[in-house]
Amino acid sequence: MASAQTSHMVVPMGRAVGIKLFSDGVLVVGLSDLSGQEGTCSPARACGLRQGDIITHINDTQVDTIEEVREVLQELEGDQMSIRAIREDQQVQFTAQATACTDGTYRLGAWIRDSMAGIGTMTFYEPSTGLFGALGHGINDVDTALLMPLESGAILSASVSDVKKGASGDPGELHGTFQTNHDLGDLWANTPSGIFGTLNDTSLVPSDTAIPTALRSQVKVGAATILSNIAGDEVKSYDVEIVRVFPAGSHDTRDLMVKVTDPELLEATGGIVQGMSGSPILQNGRLVGAVTHVLVNDPTQGYGILAETMLEAARGLE
C-alpha cells in the first residue's frame, strides 16, 4: 500500500458525472404495518428488524435487490424463514413469517432500498493506474443517513441543465441528465472519503494535464481555485480562498474550509451547491483536495477534503 505521505500525479477533473450505485444486500429504510388476511401486523417489526439494517440473506438465498426479496417471499408463502442482516457492522439473525396481504402477496412490512442514482463531480483521474475519485464524501441513504453498502456501480456521462441557486438556509443544487446506456467507469468503493473506481472511457480526460497532489504540509491558507461544471459539459476554473486547514484527525474527512470569491460563480450558484461535491481544489500547481459540503447558512463557504485523505482511502482498499 502506498504511503499517504506520497505525492501522486493525477489529472484534476471537475466534470459532472452521473452516478449509479447498487447495494450489497437491501437496506431497511422504514417499517410499516400491513393489512393482512388476519388483521393488521408488521412481521419485520415483530421479528426485531430495525431501520438501517442491511438484509443479506433469507434462509440460504442471498438477496441484493427488491425483486429478489419479493420472489423469495412469494415462494415461501408465509412459511417461517431465517433473515440474516448486518447491523452496525455486526451480523444479526431473525426468525420471521411474511403475512399474506389482501392483494394476495406476501410481505414483511419493511420499506427497502437497493439502488441510488444522482449527479456529482469527478475529482481526479490517475493515468498510471486508471483510478478515479469523486465526491470527496460517501453516498449515504437519504432516509437512514447510513453509507450505502456497494455491490456494484458506475459513472456515466452527464450534462448540467440548470442550477438552483443557493441561499442562506436553502442549499442550491445542480440539475442534469446522464446517459444511462453508456458507462464511463466502474465503481468499486463507497467510502466516507469519496467514491472510487476504474475509468474505462477516458474521452472526458484532458490530455497532458497531470499535476502532483499536495501533501497536507503544502496546503496553505490563501488563494486557490476550483474546477467545476455548472453548465452543460464545460469545466471552468473559479477563484476561492482556503480560509482554514484543520489539524489532522480533528474533523474526520473535513480537512479544509473554503470560501468562494469568484463573482461569476457567486452570481450563477450563490457559492457551493449540491452536485459540486468533488470539485477539485488547486493551489500552487497541485491538487489540494475537493469541495465536499456547503455551510447551510452561508452557501459561499463549505468544507473540503484533502487529496491526501482521498488517496489514502483508495489505496487502503487495493
Side-chain angles (χ1 to χ4, degrees):
M1 184 180 70
S3 168
Q5 300 300 315
T6 300
S7 181
H8 300 267
M9 296 300 294
V10 299
V11 178
M13 294 297 295
R15 179 66 187 265
V17 291
I19 301 167
K20 59 182 181 181
L21 179 153
F22 301 96
S23 65
D24 184 11
V26 294
L27 179 67
V28 178
V29 298
L31 303 174
S32 63
D33 291 324
L34 302 171
S35 295
Q37 296 175 357
E38 299 180 1
T40 301
C41 63
S42 176
R45 185 181 291 114
C47 78
L49 276 169
R50 299 179 192 168
Q51 182 187 58
D53 289 346
I54 302 164
I55 298 173
T56 60
H57 293 78
I58 298 178
N59 290 338
D60 292 327
T61 302
Q62 181 175 327
V63 289
D64 290 313
T65 68
I66 294 170
E67 289 75 17
E68 288 172 349
V69 171
R70 287 174 178 163
E71 288 174 4
V72 173
L73 295 185
Q74 301 321 302
E75 290 172 1
L76 290 172
E77 296 184 334
D79 290 345
Q80 192 173 85
M81 74 187 88
S82 171
I83 298 175
R84 274 185 279 165
I86 302 297
R87 175 182 294 168
E88 298 177 352
D89 297 325
Q90 300 293 319
Q91 183 172 294
V92 290
Q93 190 160 332
F94 310 96
T95 300
Q97 286 180 273
T99 191
C101 296
T102 53
D103 62 0
T105 62
Y106 288 87
R107 301 181 188 175
L108 282 172
W111 295 100
I112 55 179
R113 182 166 291 133
D114 62 5
S115 62
M116 294 183 71
I119 192 168
T121 300
M122 190 190 306
T123 306
F124 67 82
Y125 167 67
E126 187 175 49
S128 64
T129 63
L131 170 72
F132 73 81
L135 298 186
H137 59 71
I139 298 176
N140 291 356
D141 175 71
V142 294
D143 292 299
T144 66
L146 296 173
L147 197 69
M148 285 288 287
L150 176 66
E151 170 70 20
S152 64
I155 59 169
L156 311 98
S157 181
S159 178
V160 179
S161 55
D162 64 86
V163 180
K164 175 192 171 187
K165 192 172 181 178
S168 179
D170 185 16
E173 185 177 12
L174 298 182
H175 298 146
T177 58
F178 45 89
Q179 301 175 8
T180 58
N181 60 346
H182 178 61
D183 294 351
L184 297 174
D186 301 317
L187 288 180
W188 43 255
N190 178 30
T191 80
S193 299
I195 62 173
F196 303 100
T198 302
L199 194 64
N200 303 318
D201 182 342
T202 59
S203 60
L204 302 184
V205 180
S207 59
D208 302 322
T209 52
I211 62 174
T213 57
L215 304 180
R216 177 184 288 272
S217 60
Q218 295 170 318
V219 183
K220 307 299 180 185
V221 169
T225 58
I226 63 171
L227 299 178
S228 202
N229 177 186
I230 63 169
D233 58 8
E234 182 183 17
V235 177
K236 296 182 67 174
S237 177
Y238 300 100
D239 293 330
V240 299
E241 182 182 359
I242 298 174
V243 296
R244 188 170 179 186
V245 181
F246 295 104
S250 62
H251 268 66
D252 298 322
T253 59
R254 299 184 183 190
D255 298 317
L256 308 169
M257 180 74 75
V258 296
K259 182 177 179 66
V260 175
T261 58
D262 195 291
E264 181 182 355
L265 187 58
L266 290 171
E267 175 62 27
T269 66
I272 299 167
V273 298
Q274 296 176 44
M276 285 174 61
S277 293
S279 295
I281 305 169
L282 309 178
Q283 186 183 60
N284 297 325
R286 298 183 179 93
L287 174 67
V288 167
V291 173
T292 57
H293 299 83
V294 61
L295 296 185
V296 174
N297 293 323
D298 182 3
T300 68
Q301 295 193 78
Y303 291 104
I305 185 173
L306 289 172
E308 183 177 272
T309 306
M310 291 184 71
L311 282 162
E312 182 179 21
R315 300 300 185 204
L317 296 164
E318 291 180 341

